[in-house]
Amino acid sequence: MNGQTKHLKAPADVDEWLDLLTQLNQGILSTLEERLAAPHFDMGMQPFAEQYPDSPLADVARRALTGTIDWCGVPGASEQAIVDAEKRLGVRLPKSYRDFLKVSNGFALPGRFVDILLPVELIRPFEQDNEEIVQIRRELVVDPVVDAFQYHLDRAIQVSGTPQMGDDFFLLDTYHSTALNECDAHVYSRVDIDWYASFGHLMLEESNSTL
């Protein structure tokens, strides 16, 4: 433990998002030096930095890989940038994710299975780069109604980068929600697909796991 107190509820506005990301950032930095010194420890993020070298988040990733970082985020996205992404994708992004983007347009998570939260300009349908995964998962579905998310994995919105370690992704299901102005969020891995009531709930778990 690093002396921080776990958040007990998902962030409800941009101020609470800043608090949550600050906690997450402190948790990451508290172990960064140790992780960088560990032999053969893969911090990830290199594929993103190489593919998008001019992105502000790529600079964050490079500094994290050299241990010269104090903030894993970047300036927030504008409302227009978020609206442009919604038009491109043909969906309305949930409030919790929009609030996150307004605080930080992406986030670096060095040393974790999901190591990059993409800037809004780069989020995309999961099928765009993962057609084979989508097809395999669909073939495993027995009941498309019961397993609707897995059956329609193609339309999930991928908000994390291509992983360097494993095959974990953060995904939004804008076709299903349990709360007003929200949508379900999922952590996809080869082993399982974990469900969260919102992107805020997913990131609450991610932040608390660093403590």
Side-chain angles (χ1 to χ4, degrees):
M1 294 286 289
N2 55 21
Q4 297 180 68
T5 301
K6 287 189 176 185
H7 284 70
L8 300 178
K9 64 183 184 69
D13 55 36
V14 292
D15 290 333
E16 291 184 6
W17 265 108
L18 180 58
D19 288 344
L20 186 70
L21 292 179
T22 298
Q23 172 183 283
L24 175 59
N25 186 75
Q26 291 172 347
I28 290 171
L29 296 186
S30 69
T31 61
L32 184 60
E33 185 175 348
E34 178 183 350
R35 292 184 178 199
L36 286 170
H40 311 302
F41 191 90
D42 191 345
M43 298 297 290
M45 303 184 298
Q46 194 62 39
F48 180 87
E50 292 176 352
Q51 188 172 2
Y52 304 103
D54 297 327
S55 168
L57 197 57
D59 182 58
V60 172
R62 286 188 289 267
R63 287 188 286 112
L65 291 170
T66 58
T68 57
I69 187 173
D70 55 14
W71 175 241
C72 295
V74 291
S78 66
E79 175 66 19
Q80 187 59 55
I82 296 172
V83 170
D84 288 345
E86 291 176 327
K87 290 179 179 178
R88 171 172 58 86
L89 297 167
V91 300
R92 170 73 177 182
L93 294 172
K95 181 182 183 302
S96 62
Y97 183 60
R98 289 172 125 263
D99 285 348
F100 159 75
L101 290 169
K102 290 175 181 178
V103 175
S104 184
N105 187 19
F107 209 79
L109 302 166
R112 306 180 77 83
F113 285 108
V114 171
D115 52 47
I116 288 286
L117 295 180
L118 294 169
V120 71
E121 295 84 2
L122 296 178
I123 65 174
R124 49 194 179 263
F126 185 59
E127 185 179 41
Q128 181 173 312
D129 298 324
N130 302 283
E131 189 173 352
E132 183 177 357
I133 293 176
V134 168
Q135 186 60 37
I136 290 172
R137 281 288 185 172
R138 178 168 290 176
E139 291 172 356
L140 293 173
V141 171
V142 175
D143 187 334
V145 176
V146 174
D147 296 316
F149 177 71
Q150 182 168 313
Y151 188 76
H152 295 291
L153 200 56
D154 56 311
R155 66 190 187 189
I157 303 301
Q158 179 183 334
V159 298
S160 62
T162 301
Q164 184 162 312
M165 304 180 292
D167 58 357
D168 292 36
F169 296 89
F170 288 176
L171 305 174
L172 302 179
D173 180 6
T174 57
Y175 288 81
H176 190 268
S177 67
T178 56
L180 185 65
N181 297 322
E182 285 298 341
C183 78
D184 293 358
H186 298 265
V187 177
Y188 170 91
S189 72
R190 187 176 304 170
V191 176
D192 204 357
I193 302 177
D194 294 327
W195 171 87
Y196 296 87
S198 71
F199 181 73
H201 286 86
L202 188 161
M203 291 301 293
L204 174 67
E205 177 68 22
E206 187 74 13
S207 180
N208 284 339
S209 71
T210 66
L211 300 182

